[in-house]
Amino acid sequence: MNKTMDIPKFDNDVYRWYADAIVYRGFGPFIACLGIVGGTLSCLVFRRKALRKKSCSIYFLFLALADLLCMICWLIHFVLPTYNIQILILSNFSCKIFVFAMYFAFDLANYVLTACSIDRAVSVLFPVGSRQFCRRQIAYTITFILVFILTVLNSHFLYGFVIISANSTLNKTIEYCYHRDDSLTYQQLFAAYDSYFDVIKTNVIPFIIMSICNLIIIFRVCRSNSSINLSNGRNNCRTTKSKRKYEKDRQLTLMLLGSAIAFLVLTLPTEINDIIRSNSGEKLVNEKKYLLSAILLSLAHLNYAIHFYIYTLTGEVFRQQLIKLWPINIIWPYFLRLLRCKKVNSSSSTNQMIMNRKRQCENTEIDQTFGQLQNPNDDEDSPIL
């Protein structure tokens, strides 16, 4: 499909240079590397036998897969074009599939995290009754239902996006992936979908559900900690197995809270900016708004890149299983040995400095004592005037 239109020349290219050269080309690969490495390691950890029995771990596993897809779309849509690598416009198929993948990955990551929040809230509200709901099979079923629903909701991108040719003011033909304009019905559908509906579907609904669930989780966890401390003061009847189960659930809950807070903080500004831009009535984006959108998009994608590092910081059980992965298990002893050598060297150097200072002080005291012993002899030998 070809379309002829004029692309105006930008009046102030410095903001676009900041967006492309610094945000996308500079920080973009860094965000992608963080997300791909972290997502891959998260998949390996949550597939381990010690964690995959938990329903929450199943949600975290699919969240890691969705994060990897988000990072791939981040590279193809925003980072690689700044290096003149245009995968998006190789064919109509690549245009359709990667636009669909971007919307689908964002929706899947947000709703899997929402389902995980509901799972944890139910488990802390109904510790006994939740055994029927918070199970691996239920987690798989809910995730597959989410995949089916989100595929249907975003399937219109497979029809509506094509490669469009346009003429710039420099008499140069450029191609880009954009929604088709030969169908008035789809134009109206996309305009409605990409404004309020997408914001409500992708962010508002998960935001509200996760906020309510997180408040419930925080309240019940704090309350259970205080009650456990009181009961431990009276008797120590809890078995080792129940203590391990409680500790594992508590750490999974902390991992969930960290991920949910990152989602609320990093993605909400982007959606607010999209609402303002869609209702501004301006078809052309000026340079300052382009730079602002680039910064907010980077923050939004950073949310999908840092889940692994949130897990590592908040969950000891996650760190224990991470160390047991065979590449890290091989490297980890050498890393610990290196740290110990550094500590030994630093402690030895510190002890050496302390010994040197003591020796200096002792030499100074000896010199002062020797000087005091010599002064009386000098007084006796000196002539009396």
Side-chain angles (χ1 to χ4, degrees):
M1 177 180 179
N2 291 328
K3 178 185 176 184
T4 301
M5 63 182 292
D6 291 334
I7 306 297
K9 188 178 180 180
F10 295 104
D11 295 330
N12 193 357
D13 288 340
V14 64
Y15 293 105
R16 185 176 182 85
W17 183 86
Y18 285 149
D20 290 340
I22 297 178
V23 178
Y24 290 140
R25 195 182 302 172
F27 291 100
F30 175 71
I31 294 173
C33 289
L34 285 180
I36 292 173
V37 172
T40 303
L41 291 175
S42 295
C43 290
L44 295 176
V45 171
F46 287 118
R47 282 298 300 163
R48 292 186 63 82
K49 185 177 180 180
L51 290 178
R52 65 187 178 193
K53 295 179 181 179
K54 295 285 184 180
S55 59
C56 193
S57 298
I58 304 302
Y59 292 120
F60 281 133
L61 173 62
F62 283 98
L63 178 60
L65 294 174
D67 291 340
L68 286 174
L69 185 56
C70 288
M71 291 298 101
I72 294 173
C73 293
W74 164 249
L75 284 173
I76 292 173
H77 282 267
F78 302 104
V79 178
L80 294 181
T82 61
Y83 292 92
N84 294 323
I85 303 174
Q86 302 289 346
I87 298 177
L88 201 61
I89 59 174
L90 288 177
S91 63
N92 278 327
F93 176 77
S94 63
C95 172
K96 295 173 185 291
I97 198 67
F98 284 118
V99 172
F100 166 80
M102 181 177 65
Y103 282 85
F104 173 79
F106 290 160
D107 291 344
L108 182 62
N110 295 345
Y111 276 96
V112 166
L113 193 59
T114 304
C116 188
S117 300
I118 296 173
D119 180 272
R120 288 292 90 193
V122 171
S123 66
V124 299
L125 280 176
F126 310 103
V128 178
S130 63
R131 295 174 183 175
Q132 298 296 323
F133 176 77
C134 303
R135 293 184 295 120
R136 288 180 58 196
Q137 293 79 4
I138 299 296
Y140 279 117
T141 303
I142 291 175
T143 304
F144 290 142
I145 291 173
L146 287 175
V147 170
F148 175 76
I149 294 174
L150 296 176
T151 301
V152 172
L153 286 177
N154 294 302
S155 60
H156 64 91
F157 292 112
L158 300 175
Y159 163 78
F161 269 72
V162 291
I163 296 176
I164 294 177
S165 298
N167 295 325
S168 67
T169 55
L170 300 176
N171 295 324
K172 183 179 179 181
T173 301
I174 61 173
E175 292 182 339
Y176 58 97
C177 183
Y178 200 65
H179 67 81
R180 62 197 316 152
D181 62 347
D182 59 347
S183 174
L184 182 60
T185 304
Y186 185 77
Q187 288 184 22
Q188 294 173 351
L189 172 65
F190 180 76
Y193 183 90
D194 200 42
S195 57
Y196 288 106
F197 180 79
D198 184 58
V199 172
I200 293 172
K201 169 181 67 71
T202 307
N203 285 83
V204 175
I205 294 176
F207 178 87
I208 294 173
I209 296 175
M210 277 192 278
S211 299
I212 295 173
C213 293
N214 288 335
L215 290 175
I216 294 172
I217 292 169
I218 292 172
F219 176 75
R220 292 305 296 262
V221 167
C222 294
R223 187 175 177 181
S224 63
N225 285 337
S226 60
S227 62
I228 287 171
N229 291 332
L230 290 175
S231 63
N232 286 339
R234 296 172 184 173
N235 54 1
N236 294 322
C237 298
R238 300 186 71 192
T239 62
T240 304
K241 185 176 181 180
S242 63
K243 288 181 180 180
R244 288 179 180 176
K245 182 178 181 300
Y246 168 77
E247 184 62 23
K248 188 178 293 185
D249 288 339
R250 187 184 70 85
Q251 291 178 19
L252 289 173
T253 302
L254 289 177
M255 290 160 57
L256 169 66
L257 288 175
S259 301
I261 292 171
F263 165 77
L264 300 179
V265 172
L266 295 176
T267 62
L268 191 60
T270 305
E271 297 303 325
I272 295 174
N273 179 64
D274 289 343
I275 293 175
I276 296 173
R277 191 177 62 181
S278 62
N279 292 300
S280 63
E282 297 180 2
K283 295 183 178 180
L284 297 177
V285 179
N286 60 37
E287 297 297 328
K288 293 182 180 180
K289 292 182 179 179
Y290 181 80
L291 175 60
L292 177 63
S293 298
I295 295 173
L296 294 179
L297 278 171
S298 299
L299 291 177
H301 285 83
L302 183 64
N303 166 66
Y304 304 104
I306 61 174
H307 285 152
F308 165 78
Y309 309 98
I310 293 175
Y311 305 153
T312 305
L313 290 174
T314 57
E316 184 179 355
V317 63
F318 183 85
R319 292 194 297 269
Q320 291 174 353
Q321 298 303 318
L322 176 64
I323 294 172
K324 292 179 182 179
L325 293 177
W326 68 265
I328 301 178
N329 194 20
I330 295 173
I331 299 172
W332 188 252
Y334 297 99
F335 180 72
L336 290 178
R337 191 178 301 173
L338 180 63
L339 290 179
R340 289 171 183 170
C341 290
K342 288 184 177 181
K343 288 181 180 180
V344 170
N345 291 333
S346 62
S347 61
S348 62
S349 62
T350 304
N351 294 332
Q352 186 67 28
M353 291 175 61
I354 294 173
M355 292 298 296
N356 291 333
R357 289 179 181 176
K358 287 183 178 180
R359 289 174 182 174
Q360 290 178 359
C361 293
E362 290 176 356
N363 292 333
T364 304
E365 291 177 356
I366 291 173
D367 293 339
Q368 290 177 354
T369 305
F370 184 74
Q372 290 176 359
L373 291 174
Q374 282 185 341
N375 286 336
N377 294 332
D378 293 340
D379 292 338
E380 290 177 0
D381 295 337
S382 60
I384 298 176
L385 297 176

